[in-house]
Amino acid sequence: MRLMSWCAALAVMAAAPLPTHAQTPPPGRLLASNCFQCHGTDGRGPGFERLAGMPADELYDEMLEMRAGKEGTGLMVKHSMIYTDAQLRLIADWFAAQPRLTSR
Ligand code: HEC
């Protein structure tokens, strides 16, 4: 009997919803994680241009310009090409909402 109630308790635990931190991150962060290898985790550097806290419209416009080939032929042209406008918007909004650390 005791074993049965343990099994019942485990079944209830397994069916319980996951804690909040284990849920899917916002889509902007998932897309933005592709930028972390060069711009630092969460866009906080070290690396190229610190993206954390960058105004969303500025980041979005720069990505569009790079995607359109108006900024030369650097690395970022290829990186910007793989995103739709809506995805770039999500990425820009997500980076803009990140605190810009001043220590580095
Ligand atoms: C493989 C490395 C790499 C990855 C990945 C990468 N970047 Fe960059 N990024 C660079 C380099 C290098 C520069 C500076 C030179 C240049 O503009 O090409 C740069 C510059 C930038 C700039 C500044 C452009 C300017 O004209 O001032 C922005 C904005 C930017 N990246 C956004 C992003 C975003 C958003 C992502 C993810 C979608 C991303 N980058 C992914 C390497 C990378």
Side-chain angles (χ1 to χ4, degrees):
M1 275 304 132
R2 206 173 175 79
L3 182 63
M4 284 302 286
S5 54
W6 266 109
C7 288
L10 282 178
V12 168
M13 282 164 68
L18 292 170
T20 322
H21 66 266
Q23 285 172 358
T24 314
R29 185 176 199 274
L30 218 52
L31 290 165
S33 65
N34 188 36
C35 324
F36 297 175
Q37 59 180 317
C38 298
H39 293 276
T41 302
D42 293 338
R44 294 195 180 123
F48 304 103
E49 189 103 1
R50 196 144 34 113
L51 304 177
M54 193 169 169
D57 288 345
E58 198 180 306
L59 203 157
Y60 180 72
D61 289 346
E62 277 191 28
M63 292 299 283
L64 289 187
E65 286 186 4
M66 290 189 283
R67 197 179 65 182
K70 293 178 187 167
E71 301 277 333
T73 54
L75 264 178
M76 280 307 302
V77 174
K78 296 286 184 212
H79 277 287
S80 53
M81 279 168 66
I82 62 169
Y83 300 103
T84 64
D85 290 3
Q87 288 173 324
L88 289 178
R89 195 70 247 180
L90 283 170
I91 292 172
D93 288 345
W94 188 83
F95 275 122
Q98 303 313 303
R100 180 173 273 268
L101 300 182
T102 49
S103 57
R104 279 189 274 169

